[in-house]
Amino acid sequence: MTLHKDFQDKVKKYAELTIKVGVNVQADQPLWISAPLGTEDFVRIVVKEAYLAGARNVHVQWYDEEIMRTHYELAPEDVFYEYPSWLAAAHEWVVDVKGAFLQIEANDPDLLKGIEPDRILNYEKASGDALDRFYEAIEKDEISWSIVAIPSEKWADKVFPELPQPDRVPSLWERIFTSVRIDQPDPISAWKSHIQTLSDKAAQLNSLCLQSLHYSDRGTDLSIELHEDHIWLTGASKTPLGTDFIANMPTEEVYTVPVRTGVNGTVTSTKPLAYNGNVIEGFTLTFVDGKITDVSAEEGEEILKKLIDTDEGAAYLGEVALVPHQSPISNSGVLFFNTLFDENASNHLAIGSSYPTCIKDGNILSDEEREEKGLNESVVHEDFMIGSESMDIDGICRDGRKIPIFRNGNWAI
């Protein structure tokens, strides 16, 4: 792709947005960046923007997808039960120094297709256990962190197979630019306005004092109980030091936590789930008293079952997120095969760990107190999309009122 001036300007704005709004790097703050090979040009611009913003130092951890696949194909079986202690210590260092963490994605959705599912899931559990303190800091917003994405050839090939090869990566770039508001005259101001809109919607939901939600759609009849102390949040967060950041760019959701044992019924996915280099499609989950008791999928059923069996908490929900069908990413009509984007085009749920920030005083609760309030714990946190243009959601208030929250896939409040 020719790096004409308009494109270069957009890339620079994207890098600036990532640093100033996404992770919001502060003066004298360390930044850790995790990125795949193939993103070097963008990462270099991001690093420059970080130093211009006052970063103390910037560390980049590179990984190579081809080497990753070779590792999963040929490494000894027992390796997948291990996680390097030095790498776990490095992640904990970010927490200790109150640094910022940025993940840049450009992943091939089919990278690990055909790999033995046990290898993937065993390593997922090993890494989750080893990085428990780091993930705890992420879940509690103790550090600023963000995930952004840029195109790769294999990802673009998956998203736009109908386009001529030379047009695929540029088309994905443009879709990403639009989704993160780089097409706006002042992207930073556009983001502030957008976050305010989401915050107003979260405040409206919080004022309703909901006891539960009921979802109705083709293949979905699901009830989800909410704790009396639940809080609806947006993608905008704040560290204990008062630093604002946006964990996912793009973001279109407001979200909260369900009661662990308060989920009953059946839910059917409406978009594929790209999970660890595999695509899982057309799946239905049945819940009884919070736990997934039945699983079926048109594609990827084995790996979905392995995911749900990762640990006890992986069979329960940890997040409930609302996204209207009439939203920028959904309106684009593009299936990204990347949860960062697809979850922001659809109502979604997440199996696995919950965010304690979604409960009043959740950050200061002990593990026992979180369990008492029905918060789920797991090394897994995996979003899956359930929304459509025909989904209805009713909210049951604590005073018994029944309020339409969504009608025909969009806000009814």
Side-chain angles (χ1 to χ4, degrees):
M1 178 169 58
T2 302
L3 298 180
H4 52 80
K5 187 177 186 304
D6 179 59
F7 174 75
Q8 290 175 319
D9 288 344
K10 288 180 178 178
V11 170
K12 186 178 184 303
K13 284 182 180 180
Y14 190 17
E16 182 182 15
L17 187 73
T18 297
I19 291 300
K20 293 184 176 180
V21 176
V23 285
N24 193 8
V25 171
Q26 301 296 292
D28 207 38
Q29 184 181 34
L31 171 65
W32 178 312
I33 299 174
S34 173
L37 296 184
T39 63
E40 293 91 338
D41 290 342
F42 181 69
V43 171
R44 288 173 186 137
I45 300 170
V46 169
V47 169
K48 183 176 181 180
E49 290 295 332
Y51 280 119
L52 289 174
R56 178 177 180 82
N57 49 40
V58 182
H59 300 278
V60 180
Q61 178 194 10
W62 300 103
Y63 61 93
D64 181 276
E65 287 195 324
E66 289 189 25
I67 290 176
M68 184 184 296
R69 180 169 180 98
T70 300
H71 173 74
Y72 276 101
E73 287 177 334
L74 301 178
E77 198 68 38
D78 60 343
V79 159
F80 299 99
Y81 294 90
E82 304 170 355
Y83 190 85
S85 58
W86 61 269
L87 191 51
H91 282 81
E92 292 185 2
W93 169 84
V94 179
V95 179
D96 291 337
V97 299
K98 297 178 173 58
F101 182 82
L102 173 63
Q103 182 175 320
I104 297 174
E105 295 187 349
N107 302 336
D108 173 9
D110 293 318
L111 177 66
L112 299 182
K113 187 174 184 178
I115 295 295
E116 170 56 47
D118 280 341
R119 292 186 159 224
I120 299 170
L121 272 299
N122 288 337
Y123 188 68
E124 177 91 355
K125 188 174 188 305
S127 61
D129 289 340
L131 297 175
D132 179 65
R133 183 166 167 245
F134 174 76
Y135 288 141
E136 176 87 355
I138 292 290
E139 290 173 359
K140 294 170 65 176
D141 293 338
E142 291 179 2
I143 62 173
S144 58
W145 59 281
S146 191
I147 306 173
V148 300
I150 69 168
S152 65
E153 286 190 14
K154 289 184 178 179
W155 182 19
D157 288 345
K158 183 76 172 182
V159 176
F160 295 114
E162 75 285 359
L163 294 181
Q165 184 75 43
D167 296 340
R168 295 174 183 175
V169 168
S171 294
L172 188 50
W173 265 118
E174 288 305 318
R175 295 297 187 181
I176 292 173
F177 286 149
T178 300
S179 71
V180 296
R181 294 172 168 75
I182 295 300
D183 60 336
Q184 302 295 312
D186 184 346
I188 291 177
S189 293
W191 267 94
K192 289 180 180 178
S193 175
H194 174 54
I195 291 301
Q196 185 59 55
T197 299
L198 293 178
S199 297
D200 291 345
K201 189 61 69 176
Q204 191 176 7
L205 287 167
N206 285 325
S207 71
L208 295 176
C209 300
L210 295 172
Q211 181 174 354
S212 63
L213 296 171
H214 181 258
Y215 292 71
S216 301
D217 201 354
R218 297 182 299 268
T220 293
D221 182 3
L222 188 73
S223 294
I224 298 178
E225 182 184 352
L226 305 176
H227 192 275
E228 62 181 355
D229 289 335
H230 79 274
I231 302 170
W232 289 93
L233 298 176
T234 72
S237 302
K238 189 187 293 288
T239 70
L241 295 177
T243 300
D244 295 310
F245 67 95
I246 297 177
N248 295 336
M249 298 184 74
T251 183
E252 302 289 339
E253 66 180 318
V254 293
Y255 67 96
T256 191
V257 290
V259 172
R260 184 178 190 268
T261 57
V263 183
N264 287 280
T266 299
V267 64
T268 298
S269 67
T270 52
K271 293 180 183 290
L273 169 60
Y275 169 71
N276 273 356
N278 288 268
V279 176
I280 305 169
E281 294 194 59
F283 59 91
T284 298
L285 306 177
T286 299
F287 292 82
V288 176
D289 295 333
K291 188 171 185 177
I292 298 172
T293 59
D294 189 61
V295 180
S296 65
E298 295 172 6
E299 180 179 341
E301 182 173 310
E302 182 182 5
I303 195 152
L304 178 59
K305 288 180 175 178
K306 294 283 187 183
L307 169 62
I308 292 167
D309 198 39
T310 302
D311 58 22
E312 177 66 19
Y316 294 81
L317 289 186
E319 179 186 344
V320 179
L322 301 179
V323 180
H325 184 70
Q326 294 295 327
S327 57
I329 299 174
S330 177
N331 290 342
S332 74
V334 173
L335 180 61
F336 283 87
F337 294 96
N338 181 299
T339 301
L340 177 63
F341 293 87
D342 290 334
E343 73 169 2
N344 285 299
S346 170
N347 287 318
H348 56 275
L349 305 171
I351 59 170
S353 64
S354 56
Y355 292 107
T357 48
C358 290
I359 286 283
K360 181 182 178 181
D361 298 326
N363 279 350
I364 61 175
L365 297 176
S366 66
D367 290 344
E368 292 75 16
E369 288 171 326
R370 290 186 199 174
E371 185 176 352
E372 287 175 5
K373 288 182 179 290
L375 293 177
N376 193 33
E377 291 289 334
S378 174
V379 298
V380 167
H381 181 94
E382 200 63 41
D383 298 280
F384 62 97
M385 287 58 74
I386 65 168
S388 78
E389 75 286 352
S390 58
M391 173 165 276
D392 291 340
I393 304 175
D394 288 312
I396 312 302
C397 300
R398 299 200 175 274
D399 60 9
R401 288 177 298 150
K402 183 177 180 181
I403 296 179
I405 305 297
F406 267 58
R407 285 294 180 266
N408 297 318
N410 292 298
W411 290 110
I413 58 171

